[in-house]
Amino acid sequence: MRKQAAPPTASGGRLDGADAEAPSKSPAEKAWRFTKRYPVVALTCLVLAATLVLLQSGLELQVRILASAYAAVIVVLRSGGMVRALREGRWGIDLLALMAIASTVAVGEYVAALVVILMLTGGEALENFAQGRAARELRSLLDRAPRFAHREGPGAVLADTPIGEVVPGDVLMVRPSELVPVDGTLLSETASLDESSLTGESLPVEHSRGQVLLSGSVNGVAAIRMRASATAADSQYSRIIALVEEASNSRAPVVRLADRYAVPFTLLALAMAATAWLLSGEAVRFAQVLVVATPCPLLIAAPVAFLAGTSQAAHKGIIIKNTRTLEQLAKAQTAVFDKTGTLTSGRPVLDEIRVAPGKGAALGSQRILQLAASAEQYSSHVLAGSVIEAARSANLVLLPVHQAAETATHGVEAVCGGRRVVVGKAGLVSSVSTGFRETPVHSGQLAIHVAVDGEYAGALVMQDPLRRNAVDTLAQLNSMGVRNTMLLTGDAQATAAHIAEEAGIGRVQAECLPEDKVNTVAAIRERPVIMVGDGVNDAPVLAAAEVGIAMGAKGATAASESADVVVMLDDLSKVAQAVAIGKRTVAVALVSIWTGIGLSLVLMAIAMTGYIPAVAGALLQELVDLATILNGLRALHGADPTQMAGSRRRSLAGGAVRPPA
């Protein structure tokens, strides 16, 4: 991204704001900021330091009173949270830690009590830091949201206007390196925009006059003018922010599962501590075991991993709206796809030109295409753009049109190049021409007929091709355990079957209404189900599936709002990437949980023998917490569907046990 020395402007959307250029804070400022953010951690460090200094002075009684009183205050203050946790069914959250503090004070290990307090509060501070690191990609969208727009008034005078006051029709100016504040159309001749935060496309996107600009895009090196087409609340960037806010305020089932692990863990720890006490006859053993049994790994592991997973997904252009979805993605068994705009590009392309004898043969295929595209300039039909694009791809110059009349949904009639041209469906063209004959088409094709000067000239055969990466995406999903696939579409059976065969999809349900799609997905037995779609008609079934994935947030808002995952880039391979991220995130979370439990059990077993003093045990438990956090952050990297597929194939070939998903 382009860096400039100029200060941030009133738009509030410049990428090189003051924070990026601000000098680093002094150690004293950093210490004061840390103290304000984590006062209990800072106070505990102070009390611990004072305790160690006073012990060197021989004031053991005063030290015992100071440390014990401070520990008692912490226990009382934390008891309220513990009671609330117990009412919520989270038995192991603070119970073990508070019992460890109380028991160490009771047996005279007050230094260990202070270390346990530091471990407990410091672990929470570390968790907070890790969550901030993992959620950085999500927060960056919110931090960059523009607050003002440069609106043109009478005499082309610019006024910085709060973005909420911009209305459709306002003319705005966007300066270099600023964010486009609202959706609109370009008034300048050209513009080069960075749309990476919206689509994941890393290269600048060139726009010309009249094209749509999406809010959240970053302007290039030249100022541009645009006309607002939506308010800020209805613009693309605000919709993305809403998705991100929803993503950052959720809690996954696997996290609740981690909470439940604390129940047997707490009972086991108490049993081991009581056994050590009974066998040794020393009450200090009870405290030594509990010191290394605090359940911080259970609290930290899953939240850090899931936030890291959603952060990685956002960085790759995949907005996962709630962390529950990551677990569902990891366990998915069935993937259901819409056809148009999902498995196919949604933009029909010219497959071939069929020339009719007589008039068609005299004109030739290129002249037929040129005349048809020229006439289609005045058509509003979705296929008109495809015909014009085919002519331009063939380097054909479109002819000026003198007369044009469109029959809605049937075709267009125009005079261009001195000839009367009719382009459209068979019914319209056959009624105004001689020599017409229906041209046969295969599944997945459709014919646009052309008549010139009252004689049938031929047909343009169009098809909506399968996306280039569709086959690879289906293969990646299959290799990651999503073995069942279905095509669900409102198109005709023959067309749907043709696309399904090309893509390698096992089942087809065609000619479906929206309610039919919902019923079909509900009847699938191999669950969880992923549903991938892009249109408004897909919104109900996206909401009905365990995981609804909307392709391209540039498209239908209703589909995006109903989905659990929004793919910002119009790229089908992102579906496999989302599954890969889900699988890796859950695997990392479970490894973190069991690693923390395993290390704690080993330390408890050693502590039962008396070989780990209480102070040393508290410090060792802090290392366990740190290891858990660092392992959870591994979910920020490494979720490549191709590599995961290869790894899974190697594991199965070697007879390895499939990792939990």
Side-chain angles (χ1 to χ4, degrees):
M1 292 184 181
R2 185 177 177 85
K3 302 284 287 183
Q4 300 205 2
T9 66
S11 72
R14 188 180 290 278
L15 297 183
D16 54 342
D19 288 344
E21 304 295 340
S24 59
K25 293 180 173 61
S26 67
E29 290 175 323
K30 291 180 179 178
W32 175 244
R33 184 177 179 182
F34 177 86
T35 300
K36 289 197 301 181
R37 188 170 185 180
Y38 306 112
V40 179
V41 178
L43 183 58
T44 303
C45 290
L46 181 62
V47 173
L48 183 58
T51 298
L52 296 177
V53 171
L54 292 174
L55 280 176
Q56 297 298 320
S57 304
L59 303 175
E60 185 173 350
L61 178 60
Q62 292 86 338
V63 170
R64 178 189 294 270
I65 294 173
L66 171 65
S68 300
Y70 180 73
V73 170
I74 293 297
V75 169
V76 171
L77 293 176
R78 303 281 302 201
S79 296
M82 182 191 71
V83 171
R84 288 192 296 271
L86 292 174
R87 289 176 178 174
E88 295 171 3
R90 297 162 61 188
W91 293 83
I93 298 304
D94 277 339
L95 182 60
L96 272 180
L98 296 184
M99 289 183 66
I101 296 170
S103 61
T104 48
V105 170
V107 298
E109 294 282 358
Y110 46 86
V111 176
L114 294 179
V115 175
V116 173
I117 294 172
L118 181 62
M119 176 194 66
L120 183 63
T121 57
E124 292 169 351
L126 284 173
E127 179 185 2
N128 184 274
F129 169 79
Q131 289 177 348
R133 168 70 177 89
R136 184 177 60 190
E137 295 291 343
L138 297 179
R139 292 203 319 270
S140 65
L141 288 172
L142 306 177
D143 295 339
R144 294 170 57 238
R147 299 183 298 276
F148 294 91
H150 311 302
R151 183 166 61 184
E152 283 191 9
V157 176
L158 293 178
D160 289 337
T161 305
I163 193 170
E165 297 179 9
V166 175
V167 296
D170 284 349
V171 176
L172 309 175
M173 194 268 284
V174 185
R175 292 171 180 161
S177 297
E178 288 185 348
L179 270 69
V180 176
V182 296
D183 293 351
T185 55
L186 181 63
L187 298 179
S188 301
E189 289 298 326
T190 60
S192 178
L193 301 179
D194 176 1
E195 298 182 352
S196 58
S197 64
L198 301 178
T199 66
E201 174 56 60
S202 59
L203 298 176
V205 179
E206 302 297 327
H207 292 271
S208 57
R209 181 195 292 269
Q211 289 190 325
V212 174
L213 304 182
L214 295 176
S215 63
S217 304
V218 182
N219 190 23
V221 296
I224 60 173
R225 295 174 69 246
M226 61 174 288
R227 188 182 304 279
S229 61
T231 63
D234 294 331
S235 292
Q236 175 72 9
Y237 202 67
S238 293
R239 295 200 294 267
I240 295 173
I241 288 175
L243 297 179
V244 172
E245 287 177 331
E246 187 176 348
S248 61
N249 293 317
S250 59
R251 196 160 186 259
V254 75
V255 180
R256 291 191 291 270
L257 184 63
D259 293 340
R260 290 197 295 271
Y261 288 157
V263 177
F265 184 75
T266 299
L267 297 176
L268 178 60
L270 291 173
M272 293 177 70
T275 301
W277 185 0
L278 290 174
L279 293 178
S280 66
E282 300 176 359
V284 71
R285 294 286 178 88
F286 186 85
Q288 289 172 344
V289 173
L290 289 188
V291 161
V292 296
T294 51
C296 291
L298 300 181
L299 313 179
I300 296 172
V304 170
F306 275 77
L307 281 168
T310 54
S311 176
Q312 186 197 13
H315 184 67
K316 295 180 181 296
I318 305 167
I319 299 295
I320 298 178
K321 294 165 62 174
N322 57 75
T323 49
R324 175 197 63 83
T325 299
L326 282 166
E327 188 179 26
Q328 297 297 321
L329 284 169
K331 298 188 297 184
Q333 296 188 47
T334 302
V336 181
F337 295 87
D338 177 49
K339 184 183 79 68
T340 305
T342 302
L343 282 177
T344 66
S345 64
R347 290 182 59 85
V349 298
L350 180 64
D351 189 32
E352 62 175 307
I353 302 173
R354 295 179 182 170
V355 179
K359 174 66 74 172
L363 292 171
S365 61
Q366 294 300 291
R367 182 63 172 173
I368 293 173
L369 176 58
Q370 182 186 39
L371 291 171
S374 300
E376 291 279 33
Q377 292 180 90
Y378 291 85
S379 172
S380 60
H381 195 275
V382 65
L383 292 174
S386 298
V387 175
I388 294 170
E389 185 176 335
R392 288 174 174 165
S393 298
N395 297 318
L396 299 175
V397 178
L398 299 185
L399 304 172
V401 176
H402 300 294
Q403 295 178 349
E406 183 175 19
T407 304
T409 74
H410 289 281
V412 64
E413 182 176 352
V415 176
C416 46
R419 296 180 180 274
R420 180 167 295 278
V421 182
V422 180
V423 184
K425 292 183 177 179
L428 174 65
V429 175
S430 63
S431 66
V432 297
S433 64
T434 60
F436 175 84
R437 59 181 183 180
E438 187 75 53
T439 183
V441 292
H442 303 297
S443 296
Q445 293 181 327
L446 60 88
I448 300 175
H449 299 277
V450 183
V452 178
D453 294 333
E455 293 185 44
Y456 183 62
L460 309 176
V461 179
M462 313 291 290
Q463 68 171 357
D464 187 7
L466 190 71
R467 289 180 185 264
R468 287 177 296 178
N469 57 5
V471 174
D472 289 341
T473 299
L474 268 295
Q476 290 170 0
L477 288 173
N478 181 73
S479 65
M480 288 188 290
V482 187
R483 299 292 176 80
N484 308 293
T485 54
M486 173 182 283
L487 177 59
L488 205 56
T489 179
D491 282 2
Q493 177 67 37
T495 302
H498 173 75
I499 290 295
E501 183 179 1
E502 277 193 87
I505 291 179
R507 290 180 282 178
V508 179
Q509 185 74 32
E511 301 177 8
C512 294
L513 296 173
E515 56 267 30
D516 298 328
K517 294 182 178 182
V518 172
N519 294 334
T520 301
V521 168
I524 295 175
R525 300 180 61 183
E526 301 88 357
R527 309 191 81 88
V529 175
I530 298 172
M531 174 67 204
V532 188
D534 76 318
V536 174
N537 64 327
D538 295 322
V541 70
L542 288 175
E546 278 85 359
V547 180
I549 301 180
M551 289 290 298
K554 289 183 181 180
T557 304
S560 300
E561 291 177 349
S562 301
D564 302 292
V565 179
V566 180
V567 176
M568 308 307 298
L569 185 63
D570 193 24
D571 182 357
L572 188 64
S573 67
K574 296 292 183 181
V575 174
Q577 200 164 59
V579 173
I581 290 173
K583 284 185 172 295
R584 176 167 172 78
T585 299
V586 171
V588 167
L590 292 176
V591 166
S592 294
I593 290 171
W594 287 110
T595 298
I597 290 176
L599 290 174
S600 295
L601 288 175
V602 170
L603 292 176
M604 283 191 288
I606 298 174
M608 290 179 68
T609 66
Y611 282 102
I612 301 182
V615 175
L619 294 174
L620 287 172
Q621 182 57 236
E622 185 75 0
L623 294 178
V624 173
D625 295 345
L626 182 60
T628 300
I629 292 173
L630 293 176
N631 187 73
L633 288 175
R634 289 194 304 115
L636 279 167
H637 309 286
D640 184 284
T642 305
Q643 294 178 358
M644 291 190 70
S647 174
R648 189 174 188 277
R649 284 194 295 269
R650 289 192 295 272
S651 297
L652 293 176
V657 178
R658 181 180 175 182

